[in-house]
Amino acid sequence: MLYPVPAVMVSCRGNDGRSNLITVAWTGTVCSDPAMVSISVRPERFSHQLIAESGEFAINLTTEALVRKADEAGVRSGRDCNKWELLGLTEEKASKIKAPLVKESPVNLECRVTERIPLGTHDLFLAEVLAVDVDKSLMDEKGKFCLEKAKLVAYSHGEYYSLGTLLGTYGYSVRKKG
């Protein structure tokens, strides 16, 4: 019941060179130094095999413009089709990993698996973030990421929601007014 969660497209490439996309809602930041994330994937999913053998994946954030493609990437199997072609998405070369990035995604995290933990229905892949690629149009003049410009989405109980309304900043509840 810990919702909403990010809905992201995870791109991966197996040792045979075949790449795939999977939509994952169980993902998150787990450490800041070193920067680390996690994703949970069912072992029967095609992408699980590719991630397990290569030890790499990319987390590609989903925007309002990409949400329909992300949904379809989650309900189709890469065993049966080439999702890149089906969805009209572009594979982009990553700087640190062999797995491709989704060019249309404004934020990509290049990740190397450090540990795989079987949990039951899903395996948790812990990974170190090796590189973060951000569309320059989403950065302000001080180099800060502008979430409201990205129009990212979240997922809750089978439904997608848009994000972006700023409600406050860290520490605003205790800051002196003046």
Side-chain angles (χ1 to χ4, degrees):
M1 295 308 296
L2 188 59
Y3 284 95
V5 293
V8 300
M9 288 184 284
V10 173
S11 50
C12 50
R13 184 181 308 282
N15 291 339
D16 65 357
R18 187 168 179 195
S19 65
N20 195 45
L21 292 167
I22 182 173
T23 301
V24 173
W26 293 352
T27 184
T29 302
V30 295
C31 187
S32 55
D33 190 13
M36 295 187 73
V37 294
S38 69
I39 62 170
S40 290
V41 181
R42 289 182 180 269
E44 61 269 15
R45 298 295 299 262
F46 178 62
S47 290
H48 182 282
Q49 171 192 337
L50 302 182
I51 294 167
E53 68 185 30
S54 70
E56 298 178 340
F57 60 87
I59 295 175
N60 305 277
L61 299 191
T62 302
T63 63
E64 292 175 15
L66 290 172
V67 71
R68 187 172 187 87
K69 293 178 186 218
D71 182 68
E72 190 166 356
V75 298
R76 302 241 187 232
S77 174
R79 285 186 187 94
D80 305 325
C81 65
N82 180 324
K83 292 187 197 179
W84 297 94
E85 289 177 9
L86 178 72
L87 302 172
L89 294 172
T90 310
E91 290 186 56
E92 185 167 63
K93 184 170 174 43
S95 63
K96 303 283 185 188
I97 62 173
K98 292 178 183 166
L101 308 177
V102 176
K103 182 176 183 174
E104 292 79 5
S105 174
V107 181
N108 319 94
L109 296 104
E110 300 181 32
C111 306
R112 180 159 297 130
V113 175
T114 60
E115 191 172 351
R116 178 174 137 202
I117 305 168
L119 299 174
T121 59
H122 289 69
D123 283 358
L124 178 80
F125 291 97
L126 286 174
E128 186 170 357
V129 177
L130 303 178
V132 178
D133 307 289
V134 179
D135 185 321
K136 289 175 181 39
S137 69
L138 300 180
M139 305 300 285
D140 71 11
E141 61 282 346
K142 295 179 182 175
K144 180 181 176 249
F145 177 66
C146 300
L147 175 71
E148 69 283 359
K149 290 182 182 178
K151 297 187 179 189
L152 299 176
V153 300
Y155 180 83
S156 181
H157 300 282
E159 299 174 326
Y160 300 96
Y161 293 89
S162 60
L163 297 176
T165 302
L166 177 64
L167 302 176
T169 59
Y170 181 76
Y172 83 102
S173 63
V174 295
R175 207 172 289 129
K176 290 185 180 181
K177 303 200 186 335

